[in-house]
Amino acid sequence: MTRLYWMRLLALVFSCVTFGLVAHAGGLGGGVGAWCMFCWTFSFIGTLLIFLVEIFDLTENVKDFWVNFSVTFSSYAALLCLFASITFSHSFLKDHHNYDVLNHLIAAAFFSWMTTLAYLLEVWMARSESKCYMASTLGHLLVCQTFVAGVNFYFISNPVSYTDMAGVRWCMAVYCICFICSFGIIINIMLCGLEQLRWQKYFYLSATVMYFSALITWPVFKFNNLYPSPIYPPESCQKGLGLCPRGMLVMVTVLTALNFLLYSISLYCSYCLDSLTEEQEYTEVQETSLVQDLYPAQQHSSNPRMHLLGYPAGHLRSYQSMNQPNLLVCGTNVIVCHTGYVSQTHGTENRLRIE
């Protein structure tokens, strides 16, 4: 069993212990308590299904989809458990006079953080063990962008604060459009197995510009005295996460700035990936050309099966790199080839064969 299996097993145990302790303690009424229970149970059930499917090896015909799906689910589970750990610790570990219940809640908060850590370690291990798009930096950014937008929807609708002015409605349109497109990209990558859609970098550019406009527009219309805002009763501050309506508006601003930063990073990474792809294509074209050997009368193609005649073993060195093709240096000449290693053959001639 690989390290991923053990991390999933730990996440299963920790999440089960967490919602078990919370259910035993009781008293988690309201939307926040229900949301925390949903995060733990959803992560537990999804991880259990993934664990069982991989144990019984039921992914033979959908390996590409399953690798992307399992990494995506682990990323969402890590973010959900992180959010649940923060909100649970903030909302339920204070003002308790029943110390028996408080001890159960403190233990539940501890195991919730341990569940988050297990999922984060699983995502980190998947970067090296799962060679798929959703395990890459751009894949993780897509997950974070959709999750931040989802949290933003909660703050912007509790209370509803996007229907009073046209500028605020534009901000809500930005959040919805970017969320739908980002989630559509994730679904498309999982179902079609694409590395990167052709229009994806243009979407990142558009999303960055749109979020920049929302980052300016939202504070102007919500924190400027020139634009009247509704007055909420004092008791409204005690609902939800304990934030007043103005605090909710501040959280929307913070999350808008965070998503603007995430889309900017995605735009930068996307253009870097395109530049690297173009460089690799140029290298492949170079590899098909003829190369000159030590003897001007002889030329060899860069075919991986070619023979190099007359090169003493001591004059030939092989270089390998993750981002560069293999290089054979024969004296002062450099030969680019697809070889994985070079071996010497024995016979009447002293020759080196590229395997």
Side-chain angles (χ1 to χ4, degrees):
M1 298 177 69
T2 63
R3 295 181 300 172
L4 282 175
Y5 287 107
W6 292 110
M7 280 297 110
R8 286 176 184 147
L9 186 60
L10 283 177
L12 277 174
V13 173
F14 290 151
S15 58
C16 182
V17 172
T18 300
F19 66 74
L21 287 169
V22 172
H24 179 72
L28 296 187
V32 176
W35 167 252
C36 292
M37 285 293 290
F38 166 78
C39 292
W40 297 321
T41 54
F42 174 80
S43 301
F44 172 80
I45 294 173
T47 305
L48 179 61
L49 291 176
I50 291 174
F51 191 80
L52 292 176
V53 167
E54 293 190 351
I55 284 291
F56 293 105
D57 196 18
L58 303 177
T59 62
E60 184 176 356
N61 297 325
V62 289
K63 285 186 177 180
D64 292 338
F65 164 79
W66 187 256
V67 171
N68 279 300
F69 172 77
S70 59
V71 173
T72 304
F73 179 85
S74 299
S75 302
Y76 277 119
L79 293 173
L80 284 171
C81 290
L82 175 62
F83 186 70
S85 300
I86 295 173
T87 55
F88 180 81
S89 302
H90 172 74
S91 303
F92 296 104
L93 297 186
K94 56 185 179 181
D95 300 330
H96 262 284
H97 302 291
N98 189 334
Y99 290 102
D100 185 42
V101 173
L102 181 60
N103 290 335
H104 281 81
L105 296 181
I106 292 175
F110 171 77
F111 279 103
S112 180
W113 284 106
M114 294 301 294
T115 305
T116 304
L117 179 61
Y119 278 118
L120 290 175
L121 288 174
E122 180 185 344
V123 172
W124 176 71
M125 291 176 183
R127 288 182 60 89
S128 58
E129 296 189 15
S130 302
K131 304 300 182 181
C132 64
Y133 183 87
M134 293 308 299
S136 65
T137 302
L138 282 171
H140 293 322
L141 286 171
L142 278 171
V143 172
C144 292
Q145 289 154 7
T146 52
F147 182 81
V148 170
V151 176
N152 208 3
F153 290 146
Y154 169 79
F155 286 112
I156 204 174
S157 59
N158 188 27
V160 176
S161 54
Y162 56 86
T163 59
D164 46 353
M165 288 169 283
V168 179
R169 288 195 291 270
W170 160 251
C171 296
M172 187 63 180
V174 169
Y175 304 147
C176 293
I177 292 171
C178 294
F179 172 81
I180 293 172
C181 292
S182 297
F183 201 75
I185 291 174
I186 294 175
I187 298 298
N188 205 330
I189 288 172
M190 287 195 299
L191 294 180
C192 302
L194 299 176
E195 287 299 312
Q196 180 161 319
L197 304 178
R198 293 182 177 179
W199 53 270
Q200 198 165 330
K201 63 179 180 181
Y202 303 108
F203 163 69
Y204 289 141
L205 177 60
S206 303
T208 302
V209 174
M210 292 168 68
Y211 258 96
F212 181 73
S213 67
L215 183 60
I216 296 175
T217 305
W218 181 265
V220 167
F221 282 93
K222 286 300 181 181
F223 301 107
N224 195 325
N225 294 328
L226 296 176
Y227 301 97
S229 57
I231 299 175
Y232 300 97
E235 56 269 17
S236 62
C237 295
Q238 305 302 321
K239 297 179 180 179
L241 297 176
L243 295 174
C244 294
R246 191 173 183 84
M248 296 285 191
L249 301 180
V250 172
M251 287 302 301
V252 172
T253 307
V254 172
L255 293 174
T256 302
L258 178 58
N259 244 0
F260 167 71
L261 178 62
L262 293 175
Y263 277 110
S264 300
I265 297 174
S266 293
L267 177 63
Y268 172 77
C269 293
S270 180
Y271 274 93
C272 288
L273 182 62
D274 284 348
S275 300
L276 181 61
T277 302
E278 293 175 359
E279 182 181 349
Q280 289 176 345
E281 291 176 354
Y282 175 77
T283 303
E284 290 175 359
V285 172
Q286 291 294 100
E287 290 177 0
T288 60
S289 63
L290 295 177
V291 295
Q292 184 75 30
D293 68 4
L294 288 175
Y295 303 98
Q298 294 181 344
Q299 283 187 341
H300 299 287
S301 169
S302 56
N303 189 323
R305 306 299 303 177
M306 75 180 180
H307 292 72
L308 302 180
L309 302 179
Y311 292 146
H315 293 173
L316 190 143
R317 300 186 304 277
S318 177
Y319 296 89
Q320 289 184 333
S321 171
M322 292 181 64
N323 299 321
Q324 297 293 335
N326 296 308
L327 302 179
L328 294 180
V329 180
C330 305
T332 59
N333 294 335
V334 178
I335 298 176
V336 182
C337 57
H338 297 281
T339 180
Y341 57 90
V342 178
S343 65
Q344 185 173 2
T345 60
H346 302 280
T348 56
E349 292 186 28
N350 182 19
R351 62 183 183 180
L352 291 174
R353 182 179 65 192
I354 302 176
E355 301 290 349

